[in-house]
Amino acid sequence: MSGDDSMTRAFDGLASRIDALGARSVGFTSALLGEGVSTVALGTALSLAELRGDEVLLVDGNWLQPSLSEDAGLDAAPGLADRLARATELDAAIRRTPGSRIAFLPIGDRTSTRPALRALGSFVASETGSFETVVVDLPPILAGEPFVLPWAAVLDQICVVLREEATPLPVLRQALGRLHAVNAPCIVLNRAKPSSVDVPAKLLAART
Amino acid sequence: MRPYLATLRRYGWLIAAILALVWGAGLASAYVDYTTTFESDATIWVLRASPELLVTSPSDPSAPILQTAASQQADLLDQLLQTQSFVRDVVQKTSLSAALAAAQDERRFLASVGKSFQVDTHGTNLLTVAYISHDPKIGPEMVNAALAVRADRVAQASVTFSAAASTLYQQQLASAQTQALDAQKKLDDFDAEHPAPLSDIQQHSRDQLRLTLDFAQIRLGDIRGRIDQATLAPAVLAVSGMEFQVVDQPRVEATPRGGTKPAAMTAAIAFAAGAALVTLLVLLGTILPSHATGPADVARLAPMKLIASVPRVSRAQGSVGSGDVRRSLGAIAFGGRREKSGPRG
């Protein structure tokens, strides 16, 4: 099995479980920088689009390191921050690629505003109402708590990404302690050993 | 074993840093020790075997131990070097006397000096006395001073011994003289009371008295000879210098010598310390895991639930790495808009 295949399978499995949870909006965060959150958010968004057969809105909400916007070459383009500041229209900020079911909302001008709870609530509930699925890439909790907590309050599900054999457990516990989500956050084990990859499926099967 | 190997891999850089630090410092210290250590030694020929050649083993007094002249003198020197008074006398004869006077802990200073001496035997009659220091000039001074102080001590002991022996022999001489005078008086009295010719019984009695007198006079002569020997022998030995001859005088060494053993010891200690630190780190890192090492650790974070595991992708799995996966995903999602790749979140 090649690396691409195993990753695709993993993202498909993650998308299936999010679908099973019935979550429309999902945010991905971590305790620390460099855990692979943006990659997991991107892969999951693609798999969710495939699974639900509909367009997925991928939002770069990483105020600290908007790597998705940089990857897309849209780090200077108007985006989420501009929309929250009412400086642009949402449709104008969303970028679509022909042949892709991903509608991407880059970060925009981060200096213009910070994500406030009321604005985000309106954004997620009303403005993105046309999307069946919203995936948000968020900064690390400990480094960017003010940029994560408002999202945690308005998103249906928060997933915390941790790197196997790298993320310190005390730090992870500290981060989870600061996360006051409506639903308990779920954990995504990134860069897992092959022996750890099939465990979540078995755990979920055992629960059901 | 696998968890320990995993810990070893996880802390690879830290372990490498620890080993580099500890082993590097140890090797550097050993090198400095080796290149700045100078050993100066004197070779000594011990000519006379002691009358106390046979000594008994403390564990089995009935079994004699043959001790050569060299080993006897080496033992004696070793024992002297363990006494503070001897080492103090040695140091006071050298340029280290100022350091001794300035030393805050004299006992430790003297112990350190004593440990720098080394006495070894080579065969039955040869021994070497060596001193190891970081100053090449100190070694010869210390060895010469040790030999001089030893000679003083031996001479002093000889004088004390001969004085004690003389006192004892003088007492025995007085007693023997009294006995001889008594025997002479008894014989004279007998001769005065019994003029010639003597009967057989009288002749026998006179012979007995004469024999007693002869024995007393012989003993008197023997004691006088011992007194002379006790007085003269140490002096003769000291004057001749035959008992303890320095064959090779200690020299100021121009090149480092004698540092191999301490350097090897330093390197070995550093090696063992590094290995012990790494072992401790691996043990603690395995027994007290501080990282999420798998789903079992994540399960302990309940009520948070693990819903997926994304495998790590290495370049060993074909040409695909984690960076390649990200680029592939970006290409699918963003198409040709992707222009650059910065730090990955």
Side-chain angles (χ1 to χ4, degrees), chain B residues 242-317:
Chain B
M242 297 294 281
E243 184 193 27
F244 204 81
Q245 293 183 76
V246 179
V247 179
D248 292 326
Q249 292 288 343
R251 294 181 310 173
V252 176
E253 297 292 337
T255 53
R257 192 163 69 94
T260 310
K261 196 174 170 185
M265 182 71 79
T266 305
I269 288 172
F271 184 82
L277 273 174
V278 168
T279 306
L280 189 68
L281 178 67
V282 170
L283 280 175
L284 290 179
T286 307
I287 296 167
L288 306 169
S290 58
H291 298 93
T293 54
D297 283 337
V298 179
R300 291 208 298 258
L301 298 170
M304 323 304 171
K305 52 188 178 293
L306 176 68
I307 64 162
S309 292
V310 179
R312 68 181 62 169
V313 181
S314 65
R315 291 210 174 268
Q317 290 179 289

Side-chain angles (χ1 to χ4, degrees), chain B residues 169 172-173 176 215-229:
Chain B
Y169 290 143
Q172 289 181 350
L173 181 68
F215 274 132
Q217 284 175 338
I218 288 169
R219 184 159 181 263
L220 202 57
D222 182 49
I223 290 171
R224 280 185 180 131
R226 288 190 188 190
I227 289 172
D228 290 343
Q229 194 178 5

Side-chain angles (χ1 to χ4, degrees), chain A residues 7 14 17 36 38-39 67 71-72 75 95-97 100 164-169 172 185-187 189 191-192 196 200, chain B residues 290-295 301 304-313 325-326 332-334 337-338 340 343-345:
Chain A
M7 295 290 277
L14 175 54
R17 281 153 209 157
S38 299
T39 306
S67 61
D71 279 6
D75 39 343
R95 304 304 174 100
R96 290 181 169 83
T97 302
S100 169
E164 189 173 23
E165 293 185 343
T167 310
L169 280 173
L172 183 63
C186 55
I187 306 289
L189 194 61
R191 301 193 69 179
S196 306
Chain B
S290 58
H291 298 93
T293 54
L301 298 170
M304 323 304 171
K305 52 188 178 293
L306 176 68
I307 64 162
S309 292
V310 179
R312 68 181 62 169
V313 181
V325 170
R326 174 69 175 271
I332 297 168
F334 310 128
R337 271 208 298 268
R338 192 178 66 78
K340 58 183 177 182
R344 300 288 185 249

Side-chain angles (χ1 to χ4, degrees), chain A residues 122-134:
Chain A
S122 165
F123 174 79
V124 173
S126 310
E127 296 187 37
T128 62
S130 59
F131 291 95
E132 191 182 336
T133 308
V134 179

Side-chain angles (χ1 to χ4, degrees), chain A residues 31-47:
Chain A
L32 300 169
L33 278 168
E35 304 282 67
V37 172
S38 299
T39 306
V40 171
L42 181 57
T44 308
L46 286 166
S47 290

Side-chain angles (χ1 to χ4, degrees), chain A residues 72-87:
Chain A
L74 297 170
D75 39 343
L80 172 66
D82 305 288
R83 178 57 207 151
L84 293 177
R86 303 290 176 193

Side-chain angles (χ1 to χ4, degrees), chain A residues 184-205:
Chain A
C186 55
I187 306 289
V188 177
L189 194 61
N190 192 23
R191 301 193 69 179
K193 290 178 291 188
S195 58
S196 306
V197 172
D198 293 331
V199 174
K202 291 174 186 168
L203 286 175
L204 286 176

